[in-house]
């Protein structure tokens, strides 16, 4: 099963991705976490891992991918660009993967230098990665970049379920509705997680589609401190039930 985690910037996507992946692994499953966010470097810290090498580098790097994209665009081909052949988790080179027993992490690519160009090659590669990855009992948790640009890139085409992380903000509520609309158009089930909830944010549940809410995550001081310090996030009790619902739905 491939689960894509998306939402507004700062809503807690990476934290939810880390917590969900660890909960699924705790149940005895093998989990591959795929970091498709080219701007955020925090996910590996929240999982308690070392920073992985960019998967993009195994294909010649950003320059090689950019040249391939431009050549494809100039050729006016009507078929889709093909970057990868079908592969399994075990086919991924070991030097590109970090982690531990039951849970691994791979990063598609990051922006590392001033003036290196846009993230289009990473987006195209992320889409191909999810479409061509054939699972064999493993679960895949995908942490996306902020907003909905990845929908425009077609990244969600290769997933099975879409999870929207919603924090107590107007922008997050509005975005959840747009994501639900786009998810329905591509035939993908969508679920909401209400994040950082406290006594002052109870109204949030009245502003979103309750039928899509799969769980609520409280504001947790220990999680907040871990994220602030770049440390492994501690488990949160509510995630156990959320993971069970996602795996069974």
């Amino acid at each position: 099963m491939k689960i894509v985690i998306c939402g507004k910037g700062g809503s807690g996507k990476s934290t939810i991705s880390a917590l969900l992946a660890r909960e699924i692994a705790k149940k005895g499953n093998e989990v591959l976490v795929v970091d498709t966010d080219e701007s955020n470097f925090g996910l590996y810290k929240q999982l308690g891992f070392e920073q992985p090498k960019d998967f993009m580098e195994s294909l010649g790097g950003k320059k090689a991918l950019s040249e391939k994209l431009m050549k494809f665009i100039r050729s006016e081909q009507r078929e889709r660009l093909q970057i990868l052949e079908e592969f399994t988790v075990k086919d991924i080179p070991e030097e590109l993967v970090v982690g531990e027993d039951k849970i691994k992490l791979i990063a598609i690519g990051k922006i590392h230098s001033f003036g290196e160009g846009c993230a289009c090659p990473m987006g195209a590669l992320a889409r191909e990665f999810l479409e061509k990855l054939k699972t064999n009992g493993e679960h895949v948790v995908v942490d996306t970049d902020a907003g909905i640009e990845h929908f425009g890139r077609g990244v969600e085409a290769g997933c099975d379920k879409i999870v929207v992380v919603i924090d107590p903000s107007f922008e997050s509520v509005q975005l959840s509705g747009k994501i639900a609309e786009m998810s329905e158009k591509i035939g993908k089930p969508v679920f909401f997680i209400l994040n950082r909830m406290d006594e002052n944010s109870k109204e949030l549940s009245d502003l979103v589609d309750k039928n899509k809410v799969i769980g609520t995550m409280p504001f947790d001081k220990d999680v907040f401190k871990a994220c602030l310090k770049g440390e492994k996030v501690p488990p949160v009790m509510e995630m156990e039930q959320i993971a069970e619902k996602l795996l069974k739905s």
Side-chain angles (χ1 to χ4, degrees), residues 68-249:
K68 190 172 184 179
L69 280 170
M70 290 307 299
K71 184 178 179 180
F72 175 80
I73 293 170
R74 292 192 185 109
S75 69
E76 297 183 353
Q77 296 182 50
R78 296 188 181 277
E79 296 180 1
R80 285 188 55 180
L81 173 67
Q82 300 294 316
I83 302 175
L84 301 171
E85 300 293 334
E86 289 188 357
F87 67 100
T88 67
V89 173
K90 293 182 179 179
D91 293 327
I92 302 173
E94 291 184 6
E95 64 269 20
L96 301 176
V97 181
V98 299
E100 58 192 30
D101 185 38
K102 296 296 183 184
I103 181 168
K104 308 294 183 184
L105 169 67
I106 186 167
I108 296 298
K110 299 290 182 183
I111 298 291
H112 294 284
S113 304
F114 172 79
E116 71 174 68
C118 71
C120 296
M122 289 89 132
L125 181 54
R127 182 195 66 214
E128 281 278 295
F129 187 96
L130 290 182
E131 286 189 348
K132 299 297 177 61
L133 174 60
K134 303 302 175 184
T135 56
N136 185 25
E138 308 95 347
H139 292 287
V140 181
V141 175
V142 184
D143 183 24
T144 63
D145 49 328
I148 55 175
E149 185 176 352
H150 43 87
F151 274 91
R153 296 169 178 169
V155 172
E156 279 72 11
C159 78
D160 298 304
K161 297 177 181 179
I162 297 171
V163 173
V164 187
V165 181
I166 307 173
D167 68 6
S169 68
F170 174 78
E171 295 86 350
S172 196
V173 171
Q174 291 292 98
L175 187 63
S176 70
K178 185 62 177 178
I179 292 176
E181 176 187 323
M182 290 189 291
S183 300
E184 183 177 348
K185 288 182 179 179
I186 61 175
K188 305 292 183 179
V190 61
F191 305 90
F192 294 166
I193 294 178
L194 307 185
N195 194 31
R196 301 197 190 102
M197 297 288 282
D198 59 21
E199 65 276 4
N200 298 315
S201 52
K202 294 178 181 178
E203 292 181 356
L204 177 60
S205 59
D206 296 325
L207 300 175
V208 299
D209 187 343
K210 293 182 176 61
N211 295 321
K212 291 180 171 58
V213 176
I214 199 171
T216 298
M217 296 289 287
F219 175 80
D220 189 296
K221 290 183 179 180
D222 292 331
V223 171
F224 173 79
K225 290 179 181 178
C227 293
L228 179 63
K229 296 178 180 179
E231 299 175 347
K232 178 180 176 181
V233 291
V236 179
M237 178 180 61
E238 286 79 2
M239 183 54 71
E240 180 178 0
Q241 188 176 19
I242 292 173
E244 287 181 358
K245 289 180 179 179
L246 273 175
L247 294 178
K248 292 178 179 178
S249 60

